[in-house]
Amino acid sequence: MIRPRIPVNPLPTGIVTPLITTAAPASTSVEQHHTAACACQHTTPAPVAPAAVRLSPAGVLSVVGGGAAVVLVVGAVLVSLLLAVAITGASVAVCAVVLRSLLNNPPRR
């Protein structure tokens, strides 16, 4: 009754895309260097030393001061967000208590 309709390409392109692609293994060619001096020109890259950061005592103090300032600012923002959530929750609770007391006790005349 319900059959899927498979779209048919009226003009086939001839390109077939496989469902599973298999990657060719990477070539494992190793360049061989000659032991004796030869006429070919081999260029070997010089080893690169890791860059070292040297800070003066004033630089260390500025980095520590900057890190402490960032920690204090992030802490203040997080505490203020927590305080805002707490105040909102308390005000919603007070509103709920007032509404409940108004709806349960109709005014007596």
Side-chain angles (χ1 to χ4, degrees):
M1 192 167 167
I2 298 176
R3 294 186 183 184
R5 295 184 183 185
I6 300 172
V8 178
N9 191 1
L11 300 171
T13 58
I15 300 172
V16 178
T17 305
L19 295 177
I20 300 174
T21 58
T22 57
S27 63
T28 57
S29 63
V30 177
E31 184 178 346
Q32 297 177 354
H33 294 282
H34 304 285
T35 57
C38 62
C40 57
Q41 298 177 4
H42 292 284
T43 57
T44 57
V48 178
V53 177
R54 302 183 98 185
L55 292 176
S56 64
V60 170
L61 286 177
S62 66
V63 168
V64 169
V70 167
V71 167
L72 289 175
V73 168
V74 169
V77 168
L78 291 177
V79 168
S80 64
L81 286 173
L82 182 64
L83 185 62
V85 169
I87 291 172
T88 304
S91 65
V92 167
V94 168
C95 289
V97 168
V98 169
L99 282 175
R100 183 173 144 190
S101 66
L102 287 175
L103 293 175
N104 283 340
N105 295 328
R108 296 182 182 135
R109 293 182 185 180

